[in-house]
């Protein structure tokens, strides 16, 4: 069997022009060599697989070249590579400093490439300081590391630092396309994009993944083969999920999520990818930001097509929900339920039937006018009007003619519609089908009654009158057995600003409980004060909670009010509070 050489070694760049994605650094090094402006200590730092060691070898070869060499000639005798991970002791550095004194046998410079220099011990760093600061003229040191923060500052200050950046998805894809052509592999554009994204900016990782996928699929590299081999979710999964969310198909969405889990994918990976998909859709909605979309041309068309179906508000809300689920996933005890709940919330964003009206007020006439319904004025009849008409018809049983028709119609009065306000209306959840049905029935019943906003009474009232009505309502609640709500309303005395009742409670629980019952509360107060413009404003002041912590003496006084015999018990047995 013929020996196989991995692509990362086979296609390692031999010149600076072949280095991918590091044009700024390679141009700087070329200019430094041409102008004889090269420092004697260089530090190459950056993520793995971006070309640090490769650039160090190319630089070591170029500084000894005078243009007369053949293409395959190298300067192996002048280039020394030291792995600091295994040679990190003081003795190794002393041996290195002894070798530095010997001039090169071939070429002008001796180049020492120390890889993973951050692995040197503290003592080795200190032993290396003097040599690094004042090396012989024929020596150049090139240090390479992935963790610059672990190198002591005294070493950093003696080096010229070059920060290598991550290779972009576009550059990695173009280089993979070149490698595929060299190897005679027919590769889809989207397949190469997925490999480049999976590599996360490392060209060596991208080439390793490419070799693995080619071994799996042969000479025809498809997107499906890449997703199956790399165990990544395909774009189609998120496109289908988004379509189901926009169509409010919750059952189908949950089934698709279950199928995704059955393939071995993690729910955390799925929801994080969905958030990224929403981000890509948001980017696709604006022509100026389309360049931020790092996908193939075919997939980009799909993004542009689906972006037209979505609104910016939906995408922003979807990103927030998915990101919130992503943050809570690791701490959740029921992770699958967390993701399913997030999917149901996403599918309910565009569902109009789920939108609830938070204001429980009588529907004004303007609502029906906007719906194309003409208001019918309600005429209140006089008590004896109907009786008078009956008496007239009994006394004068004349045939109805044209002359007396108008007079009879003048006395005919239509019975006004009855308005029934339920004091104890049970509220249902806005997420249930029964609540939607009840809401529609409630709207249909109110269609028969039209009340003009201007005709509603708005009598003036004082704060003292409001407090009296307020206390009466609390007393009625206690008589009905609703002691919890009555005690909450008694916590604060209401203040009036215009027609707004201001309340202050010590915690959020009290506020929520009063807001749930505000419809009945406001209905009672408006009716009692004959002012239907009254509103309610509730704030939370946690400092108030301290005022309601009773001391032992206050507790005793409260108990004594309820049962005076407790005081007798205290005096009889000479008890302390």
């Amino acid at each position: 069997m013929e020996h196989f050489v991995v692509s990362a070694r086979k296609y390692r760049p031999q010149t600076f022009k072949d280095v991918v994605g590091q044009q700024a650094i390679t141009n700087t090094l070329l200019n430094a060599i041409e102008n004889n402006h090269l420092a004697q200590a260089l530090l190459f730092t950056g993520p793995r697989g971006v070309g640090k060691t490769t650039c160090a070898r190319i630089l070591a070869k170029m500084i000894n070249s005078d243009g007369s060499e053949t293409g395959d000639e190298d300067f192996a005798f002048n280039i020394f590579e030291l792995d600091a991970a295994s040679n990190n002791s003081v003795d190794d550095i002393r041996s290195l400093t002894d070798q530095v004194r010997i001039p090169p046998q071939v070429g002008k410079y001796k180049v020492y490439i120390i890889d993973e220099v951050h692995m040197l011990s503290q003592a080795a760093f200190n032993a290396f300081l003097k040599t690094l600061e004042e090396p012989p003229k024929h020596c150049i040191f090139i240090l390479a590391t992935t963790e610059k923060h672990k190198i002591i500052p005294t070493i950093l200050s003696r080096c010229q630092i070059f920060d290598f950046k991550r290779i972009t998805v576009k550059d990695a894809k173009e280089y993979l396309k070149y490698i595929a052509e060299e190897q005679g592999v027919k590769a889809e554009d989207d397949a190469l994009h997925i490999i480049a994204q999976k590599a996360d900016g490392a060209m060596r990782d991208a080439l390793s993944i490419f070799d693995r996928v080619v071994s799996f699929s042969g000479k025809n590299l498809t997107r499906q083969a890449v997703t199956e081999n790399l165990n990544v979710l395909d774009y189609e999964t998120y496109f289908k999920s988004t379509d189901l969310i926009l169509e409010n198909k919750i059952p189908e969405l949950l089934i698709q999520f279950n199928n995704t889990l059955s393939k071995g994918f993690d729910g955390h990976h799925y929801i994080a990818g969905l958030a990224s998909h929403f981000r890509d859709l948001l980017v696709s909605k604006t022509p100026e930001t389309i360049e931020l979309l790092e996908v193939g041309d075919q997939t980009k068309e799909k993004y542009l097509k689906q972006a037209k179906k979505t609104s910016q508000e939906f995408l922003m809300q979807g990103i927030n929900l998915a990101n919130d689920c992503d943050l809570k996933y690791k701490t959740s005890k029921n992770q699958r339920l967390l993701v399913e709940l997030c999917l149901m919330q996403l599918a309910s964003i565009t569902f109009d039937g789920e939108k609830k009206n938070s204001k429980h007020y009588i529907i004004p006439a303007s609502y029906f006018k906007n719906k194309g319904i003409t208001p019918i004025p309600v005429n209140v009849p006089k008590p004896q009007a109907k009786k008078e008409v009956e008496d007239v018809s009994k006394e004068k049983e004349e045939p109805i003619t044209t002359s007396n028709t108008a007079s009879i119609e003048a006395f005919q009065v239509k019975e006004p519609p009855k308005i029934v306000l339920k004091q104890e209306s049970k509220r249902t959840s806005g997420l249930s089908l029964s609540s939607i049905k009840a809401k529609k029935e409630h709207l249909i019943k109110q269609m028969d009654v039209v009340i003009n906003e201007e005709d509603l009474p708005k009598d003036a009232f004082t704060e003292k009158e409001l407090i009296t009505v307020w206390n009466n309502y609390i007393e009625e609640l206690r008589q009905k057995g609703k002691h919890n709500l009555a005690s909450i309303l008694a916590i604060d005395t209401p203040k009036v600003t215009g027609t707004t009742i201001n309340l202050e409670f010590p915690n959020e629980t009290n506020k929520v409980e009063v807001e749930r019952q505000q419809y009945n509360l406001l209905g009672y107060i408006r009716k009692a004060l004959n002012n239907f413009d009254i509103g309610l404003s509730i704030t939370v002041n946690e400092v108030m909670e301290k005022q309601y912590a009773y001391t032992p003496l206050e507790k005793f006084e409260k108990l004594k009010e309820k049962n005076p015999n407790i005081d007798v018990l205290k005096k009889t047995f000479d008890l302390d509070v």
Side-chain angles (χ1 to χ4, degrees), residues 66 93 254 268 282 313 349 381 469-470 485 496 531 555-556:
D66 57 3
I93 297 300
L254 297 180
H268 195 187
L282 190 62
E313 293 76 12
I349 294 176
V469 174
W470 186 271
L485 180 60
V496 179
N531 188 323
K555 292 179 182 178
F556 175 75

Side-chain angles (χ1 to χ4, degrees), residues 560-572:
K560 191 169 69 173
E561 290 178 4
K562 295 183 178 180
N563 190 352
N565 293 329
I566 293 179
D567 190 39
V568 178
L569 179 68
K570 174 180 177 297
K571 293 178 180 178
T572 303

Side-chain angles (χ1 to χ4, degrees), residues 235 238-239 242 273-282 303 306:
Y235 295 124
Y238 295 119
F239 280 117
T242 306
L274 190 61
S276 299
H277 182 75
F278 288 153
R279 175 261 181 194
D280 291 338
L281 287 175
L282 190 62
Y303 271 107
Q306 192 173 69

Side-chain angles (χ1 to χ4, degrees), residues 85 139 142 148 211 266 304 340 414 455 460 482 553 566:
C139 285
I142 304 177
K148 184 175 70 172
D211 287 342
D266 186 27
L304 295 175
E340 289 177 342
K414 295 181 181 180
D455 296 337
K482 298 184 177 181
L553 185 60
I566 293 179

Side-chain angles (χ1 to χ4, degrees), residues 110-154:
K110 292 177 72 174
V111 182
Y112 291 87
I113 301 173
I114 305 178
D115 207 0
E116 304 298 334
V117 71
H118 66 274
M119 299 291 287
L120 289 176
S121 63
Q122 184 74 23
F125 271 130
N126 293 330
F128 192 42
L129 281 176
K130 189 65 177 176
T131 304
L132 192 66
E133 184 176 10
E134 298 177 358
K137 294 181 180 181
H138 58 265
C139 285
I140 291 180
F141 292 98
I142 304 177
L143 314 181
T145 180
T146 56
E147 301 182 48
K148 184 175 70 172
H149 61 279
K150 291 186 178 180
I151 301 176
I152 60 176
T154 48

Side-chain angles (χ1 to χ4, degrees), residues 112-308:
Y112 291 87
I113 301 173
I114 305 178
D115 207 0
E116 304 298 334
V117 71
H118 66 274
M119 299 291 287
L120 289 176
S121 63
Q122 184 74 23
F125 271 130
N126 293 330
F128 192 42
L129 281 176
K130 189 65 177 176
T131 304
L132 192 66
E133 184 176 10
E134 298 177 358
K137 294 181 180 181
H138 58 265
C139 285
I140 291 180
F141 292 98
I142 304 177
L143 314 181
T145 180
T146 56
E147 301 182 48
K148 184 175 70 172
H149 61 279
K150 291 186 178 180
I151 301 176
I152 60 176
T154 48
I155 293 289
L156 292 176
S157 64
R158 289 165 168 81
C159 297
Q160 194 174 83
I161 301 173
F162 292 86
D163 287 301
F164 284 69
K165 63 180 181 179
R166 291 181 181 273
I167 299 173
T168 63
V169 175
K170 183 179 179 182
D171 290 340
K173 191 211 78 168
E174 293 297 329
Y175 192 69
L176 288 173
K177 187 176 180 181
Y178 161 73
I179 299 296
E181 292 174 354
E182 288 289 321
Q183 295 186 4
V185 177
K186 184 179 179 182
E188 292 183 1
D189 196 51
D190 288 341
L192 298 179
H193 254 288
I194 294 173
I195 295 174
Q197 287 179 330
K198 186 73 174 177
D200 194 23
M203 197 68 238
R204 183 170 60 237
D205 291 355
L207 292 173
S208 299
I209 295 171
F210 176 80
D211 287 342
R212 192 175 88 195
V213 177
V214 169
S215 300
F216 172 74
S217 61
K219 295 295 183 179
N220 188 15
L221 195 62
T222 62
R223 185 188 64 187
Q224 184 178 1
V226 171
T227 54
E228 289 179 4
N229 188 264
L230 299 183
N231 196 32
V232 296
L233 279 171
D234 194 6
Y235 295 124
E236 293 298 331
T237 302
Y238 295 119
F239 280 117
K240 185 177 180 182
S241 297
T242 306
D243 287 336
L244 293 175
I245 289 172
L246 293 173
E247 295 170 5
N248 314 118
K249 294 181 179 179
I250 295 178
E252 291 85 346
L253 185 61
L254 297 180
I255 291 173
Q256 191 213 18
F257 175 59
N258 181 67
N259 294 336
T260 303
L261 294 179
S262 63
K263 294 177 182 178
F265 293 104
D266 186 27
H268 195 187
H269 181 58
Y270 173 82
I271 201 67
L274 190 61
S276 299
H277 182 75
F278 288 153
R279 175 261 181 194
D280 291 338
L281 287 175
L282 190 62
V283 164
S284 303
K285 292 187 71 67
T286 309
E288 292 80 2
T289 57
I290 291 179
E291 61 183 15
L292 300 177
L293 199 62
E294 295 181 339
V295 294
D297 294 334
Q298 296 178 357
T299 308
K300 184 179 291 186
E301 292 297 327
K302 293 181 180 179
Y303 271 107
L304 295 175
K305 183 178 179 181
Q306 192 173 69
K308 295 178 181 178

Side-chain angles (χ1 to χ4, degrees), residues 16 22-33 37-47 50-53 55-56 59 140-146 148 156 159-165:
F16 281 135
Q22 308 294 345
Q23 284 77 15
I25 293 176
T26 55
N27 290 340
T28 303
L29 294 175
L30 281 172
N31 292 334
I33 294 172
H37 201 266
L38 190 66
Q40 286 192 283
L42 307 174
L43 176 63
F44 291 173
T45 178
V50 295
K52 299 186 296 296
T53 306
C55 287
L59 179 63
I140 291 180
F141 292 98
I142 304 177
L143 314 181
T145 180
T146 56
K148 184 175 70 172
L156 292 176
C159 297
Q160 194 174 83
I161 301 173
F162 292 86
D163 287 301
F164 284 69
K165 63 180 181 179

